[in-house]
Amino acid sequence: MGNKLGKMVKLKNIICILTISLPLFADLPPIYKKDFEQNSYSLDVEKNAQLFSISGNRLGISIKDISIGKPSAIAIKNMKLLSPEDKYALKILDANKKEIFMIGLGDPFYIHAQHIDFEDRDFFGGYVDANIDIALPFDADISYFVLLSQENRFLKKISEIKVK
């Protein structure tokens, strides 16, 4: 009897919580499947954008060049959302250090190469410096870039640089 009473009390508490919570969710916009299928930030290739050329390695990044112009196909391709498969990410912050964008970089700092006489190994490779071109909306207040590493879906800050 006591076990059934405990289950009834738990059920009553759950119903009470749902009754209180439902009006809070009523004002939220609906979530559509296409929202989850997006894998890149939208950027108009016909409009000018802020173009950044970033050089870096697994220990940090630096800005090589900043310009205004029409984004290249490579810069637009690099504007993909962070996914669990990305080893590194680039967080873009405004002047108040509020996050504007989070870009997944993949693993641009490690190169894999198959090599003769290393057939007994799966891969032969090493860490390299990489150049990353990105395009951001012209009107975005870009003030900081933060390089992050991702392991088991946890992000760890590697370096932060000020843009202006």
Side-chain angles (χ1 to χ4, degrees):
M1 178 74 175
N3 191 19
K4 287 185 179 181
L5 182 62
K7 287 182 182 179
M8 288 176 55
V9 170
K10 286 180 185 177
L11 182 61
K12 182 180 175 188
N13 288 341
I14 291 172
I15 291 172
C16 188
I17 290 170
L18 286 175
T19 305
I20 293 169
S21 303
L22 284 177
L24 297 174
F25 295 117
D27 294 334
L28 295 176
I31 298 173
Y32 299 104
K33 184 179 178 187
K34 67 181 172 91
D35 295 332
F36 293 103
E37 293 172 347
Q38 177 186 4
N39 62 357
S40 64
Y41 293 105
S42 69
L43 197 59
D44 190 353
V45 294
E46 296 301 319
K47 293 186 179 179
N48 283 340
Q50 297 179 63
L51 307 174
F52 295 90
S53 181
I54 299 170
S55 178
N57 58 40
R58 64 189 174 113
L59 303 175
I61 56 173
S62 63
I63 298 174
K64 286 177 40 178
D65 188 38
I66 301 173
S67 62
I68 305 275
K70 296 198 185 334
S72 68
I74 293 172
I76 291 174
K77 181 183 169 200
N78 288 338
M79 291 297 297
K80 65 182 190 70
L81 296 172
L82 178 64
S83 73
E85 291 80 31
D86 290 313
K87 173 80 173 151
Y88 295 94
L90 189 64
K91 186 190 301 189
I92 294 109
L93 308 174
D94 66 8
N96 298 322
K97 293 201 172 185
K98 181 182 170 203
E99 181 180 316
I100 301 172
F101 297 103
M102 177 74 80
I103 302 169
L105 297 176
D107 192 357
F109 310 124
Y110 190 83
I111 188 166
H112 297 276
Q114 291 180 333
H115 194 277
I116 297 173
D117 294 332
F118 287 92
E119 288 88 6
D120 59 332
R121 298 184 188 167
D122 290 333
F123 289 101
F124 177 79
Y127 290 100
V128 296
D129 291 344
N131 293 322
I132 303 164
D133 294 325
I134 60 170
L136 297 168
F138 183 73
D139 58 349
D141 175 25
I142 312 299
S143 295
Y144 297 92
F145 286 118
V146 181
L147 179 65
L148 305 164
S149 66
Q150 178 178 224
E151 188 171 324
N152 296 328
R153 298 186 185 210
F154 290 101
L155 295 170
K156 178 181 169 188
K157 181 178 170 181
I158 296 173
S159 70
E160 178 179 311
I161 56 172
K162 187 164 176 55
V163 173
K164 301 174 186 175

